[in-house]
Amino acid sequence: MLVVMRKDATAEQIRGVQEAIEVRGFKAHAIPGAQRTAIGVTGNKGALEAPALEGLPGVLEVIPVTHAYKLVSREVKTENTIVTVGEVEVGGPELVLVAGPCAVETVEQTLAIARAVKSAGAHILRGGAFKPRTSPYSFQGLGEAGLRILAEAREATGLPVVSEAIDVESVDLVEKYCDAIQVGARNMQNFSLLKRVGKAKKPVLLKRGLSATLEEFLMSAEYILAEGNYAVILCERGVRTFSDFSRNTLDLAIVPTVKQISHLPIFVDPSHGTGRRDKVAPLSRAAAAVGADGLIIEVHNDPNRALSDGPQSLTPEMFAELVTDLRKIAPVIGRTL
Ligand code: PEP
Ligand code: MN
């Protein structure tokens, strides 16, 4: 349910409505808009009667939210959400580029890649310190030491950093060192992790699960918002299909679909989406054209020796070339880069 406040509603009236919602055992989420404030109502205690709120001072109308997802829905908030990572605004006019290695391996590797992607035009540095690997014998990431290297790279380049938390335990460290917390595809429905990052003070980059439907994806984001963290960036990274020529099938149609029904920004990850270096640039161009708010791209200075995801990693030169193309595409779709 959504309580829409009048344009001239006072802060006191807004608080009064929030209290009226909370005394009934529900949660009130004030969503300030350009025109007026709306208050989203969530909770699992059963139905809350609209008339109980309709008569309160400052209330314009009470409208039922028809989708299962509430806070992520455009029904609840019509304007696009801008998520700020460091000082980078995601969801605004700028096409945001996140680039970096799949995994942080060494200080030298991370600094070299960070400097290269920064000079090519990247806005945010990525790098995994906790890696969710299919095999327990594969490189699992450097853990806290890797996060320290990322923080050092931020210091050296000014780029904000994003890294994955693979479980509830690793969130504290990722939150401490990074500017945004990634929740990976394999964890999209790890509900305790979603609730924990929902309490975090940093933005969350939520990747779509390997076979998640649109509704499941949005419901996972809903978990995070329901805990009070509204800074969520969605990310399409390909889904499993019968198609056998790429690692995953990049579902670009989800971008305009999400834009219609949600106010949250959405990124595209053409690296995991294709798994092949030669397909990353074409799919990046397509993702930009289809309206993605940003791209997250794996870049390695020595891809053939990368400890993870080398086959899908671009060289810094390939990344720079791609940025040149994206700079031509961005203005056509009303974006800056
Ligand atoms: C990653 O970004 O390195 C990663 C593991 O992504 P995903 O969770 O999409 O597989
Ligand atoms: Mn990877």
Side-chain angles (χ1 to χ4, degrees):
M1 190 180 287
L2 183 71
V3 183
V4 183
M5 301 300 292
R6 294 162 52 100
K7 263 188 203 157
D8 58 359
T10 63
E12 202 183 320
Q13 289 172 336
I14 294 170
R15 250 195 328 275
V17 173
Q18 286 179 293
E19 276 164 22
I21 292 165
E22 276 154 13
V23 294
R24 288 169 173 83
F26 294 85
K27 216 164 166 177
H29 306 260
I31 305 155
Q35 295 296 319
R36 48 170 60 93
T37 292
I39 302 170
V41 184
T42 60
N44 49 14
K45 299 235 157 62
L48 172 62
E49 293 299 314
L53 304 170
E54 260 158 5
L56 295 175
V59 172
L60 179 70
E61 58 176 337
V62 178
I63 42 184
V65 178
T66 49
H67 292 118
Y69 34 88
K70 314 276 180 207
L71 300 172
V72 305
S73 168
R74 262 207 207 273
E75 288 186 283
V76 161
K77 181 169 181 275
T78 48
E79 300 118 47
N80 289 336
T81 286
I82 310 268
V83 174
T84 309
V85 179
E87 287 176 5
V88 176
E89 288 195 345
V90 175
E94 186 83 351
L95 176 66
V96 173
L97 302 180
V98 185
C102 177
V104 174
E105 298 167 8
T106 65
V107 185
E108 296 73 29
Q109 167 244 18
T110 307
L111 282 178
I113 297 169
R115 291 198 171 104
V117 298
K118 156 100 187 192
S119 79
H123 305 90
I124 299 172
L125 177 68
R126 64 148 288 148
F130 297 97
K131 294 305 302 176
R133 303 305 299 277
T134 301
S135 163
Y137 309 118
S138 300
F139 177 59
Q140 302 286 308
L142 298 179
E144 186 171 6
L147 296 174
R148 281 210 200 91
I149 294 173
L150 279 177
E152 199 178 324
R154 171 180 52 213
E155 198 67 28
T157 60
L159 293 175
V161 297
V162 57
S163 198
E164 178 168 352
I166 50 167
D167 46 29
V168 171
E169 292 73 33
S170 53
V171 176
D172 283 345
L173 284 173
V174 176
E175 193 178 5
K176 175 174 159 199
Y177 288 100
C178 299
D179 302 282
I181 307 163
Q182 181 171 318
V183 172
R186 289 154 194 80
N187 268 318
M188 190 205 79
Q189 285 189 317
N190 178 339
F191 299 113
S192 41
L193 179 59
L194 296 175
K195 286 182 189 173
R196 170 63 188 88
V197 297
K199 293 190 176 75
K201 299 282 175 282
K202 297 275 173 75
V204 177
L205 174 62
L206 175 66
K207 300 187 94 176
R208 182 182 182 182
L210 279 74
S211 60
T213 63
L214 171 68
E215 178 156 320
E216 287 163 346
F217 190 20
L218 292 174
M219 289 309 286
S220 290
E222 186 79 19
Y223 262 90
I224 303 171
L225 272 73
E227 294 295 329
N229 189 349
Y230 299 86
V232 173
I233 304 165
L234 302 169
C235 181
E236 161 61 30
R237 48 79 71 204
V239 289
R240 286 253 166 110
T241 69
F242 53 82
S243 181
D244 59 359
F245 58 86
S246 61
R247 183 176 176 182
N248 291 295
T249 297
L250 195 61
D251 184 13
L252 289 180
I254 203 171
V255 174
T257 312
V258 161
K259 292 267 153 215
Q260 264 165 17
I261 60 181
S262 176
H263 52 86
L264 294 175
I266 179 162
F267 280 178
V268 169
D269 173 349
S271 307
H272 294 87
T274 64
R276 310 270 181 97
R277 187 176 307 138
D278 60 339
K279 295 187 177 65
V280 171
L283 272 297
S284 296
R285 298 191 296 259
V290 87
D293 293 292
L295 302 171
I296 176 163
I297 296 172
E298 289 185 339
V299 178
H300 200 286
N301 53 347
D302 191 359
N304 294 332
R305 270 190 276 233
L307 295 182
S308 67
D309 286 348
Q312 68 193 34
S313 298
L314 298 186
T315 61
E317 295 73 28
M318 291 170 86
F319 177 71
E321 216 172 289
L322 169 61
V323 177
T324 307
D325 287 345
L326 293 172
R327 287 200 168 115
K328 291 180 206 147
I329 295 171
V332 178
I333 45 156
R335 295 232 174 220
T336 55
L337 177 61

